[in-house]
Amino acid sequence: MKVIAFARTEQGTGASRRLRKAGQTPGIIYGGTAAPVSISLDHNALYHALKKETFHSSILDLEVDGKVEQVLLRDFQVHAYKQLVLHADFQRVDASQKIHVKVPLHFINAEISPAVKLSSGIVSHVMTDLDITCLPKDLPEFVEIDLAKLEIGNSVHLADIKLPNGVTAVIHGGEDNPTIATASIPAGKVEAEAAPAAGDAAAAPAAPADKK
């Protein structure tokens, strides 16, 4: 995915404000052996790019004044209530160095799983993205989670997932095998099934008292 930017020399709050009024968004490129470079980007193009999933998890070809560098989007700031991107940070990518990035999870086949098809259950996504490390050439746009065999009351864990070649998951919080998704019976259905049982018990005749 290609991004066009322009080098900027003016720094400070006032310069950034003038850029935004002119329909530009200030940003920076950092990392690697080269010095950081302050840039400006077309605001509308950046705003719409940020809506695309791949923009957040792919290697980007960032062209600055005719020179192209491979980068990752590392951070961006938006206005509290306006549709305005205030700043964007990009990190240079070295083809020989592993990168650490979050990639989205794509869930498939939930509708044909035993949990949904046979038990009318619901599938809850405990995680929506995954921290990974890999070489830039191995970076996937997303990781696919196949739910076709998920049964009611069961879960999909990280150990159940086959990651693409060259990709390693980064675990946080001391949990070796975090839960990715779970399948359960909706609370309303459980209560509805329990209610007739309670009613039947109440309607049952009382046992006759022992005659003396």
Side-chain angles (χ1 to χ4, degrees):
M1 191 170 183
K2 191 169 186 178
V3 183
I4 304 296
F6 304 93
R8 61 186 173 95
T9 56
E10 292 187 347
Q11 306 291 328
T13 303
S16 295
R17 189 181 298 115
R18 288 191 293 273
L19 275 176
R20 296 183 188 111
K21 286 183 177 179
Q24 299 289 307
T25 298
I28 190 170
I29 308 171
Y30 65 90
T33 57
V37 175
S38 296
I39 58 173
S40 64
L41 306 100
D42 179 80
H43 176 270
N44 288 342
L46 177 62
Y47 179 80
H48 290 294
L50 286 169
K51 294 182 178 181
K52 299 177 181 178
E53 185 181 75
T54 55
F55 191 72
H56 297 261
S57 58
S58 299
I59 304 295
L60 307 173
D61 291 324
L62 181 57
E63 180 180 325
V64 181
D65 297 339
K67 181 183 177 182
V68 177
E69 294 188 273
Q70 289 198 317
V71 300
L72 282 169
L73 175 69
R74 278 307 190 190
D75 195 16
F76 64 96
Q77 294 83 45
V78 296
H79 195 277
Y81 55 88
K82 295 180 181 179
Q83 293 184 336
L84 183 64
V85 185
L86 301 176
H87 197 273
D89 297 356
F90 299 90
Q91 182 182 4
R92 295 184 183 96
V93 169
D94 184 336
S96 65
Q97 299 292 323
K98 286 189 174 183
I99 55 176
H100 180 185
V101 65
K102 283 181 181 287
V103 294
L105 300 177
H106 284 190
F107 297 87
I108 63 170
N109 294 328
E111 69 281 358
I112 64 171
S113 68
V116 174
K117 193 170 183 179
L118 302 181
S119 304
S120 300
I122 57 172
V123 176
S124 300
H125 301 163
V126 179
M127 297 172 62
T128 56
D129 53 38
L130 183 67
D131 266 345
I132 64 167
T133 182
C134 64
L135 289 173
K137 69 179 181 64
D138 296 324
L139 177 62
E141 291 185 6
F142 57 85
V143 172
E144 194 169 81
I145 311 297
D146 191 346
L147 303 174
K149 297 181 179 179
L150 183 61
E151 297 186 358
I152 205 72
N154 291 348
S155 301
V156 177
H157 294 86
L158 181 59
D160 304 320
I161 305 306
K162 181 175 175 56
L163 295 173
N165 291 335
V167 174
T168 303
V170 179
I171 307 301
H172 300 283
E175 188 176 0
D176 293 333
N177 193 24
T179 302
I180 304 291
T182 62
S184 59
I185 297 292
K189 185 177 180 183
V190 173
E191 292 170 1
E193 290 176 350
D200 291 345
D210 293 336
K211 293 183 180 180
K212 293 183 180 180

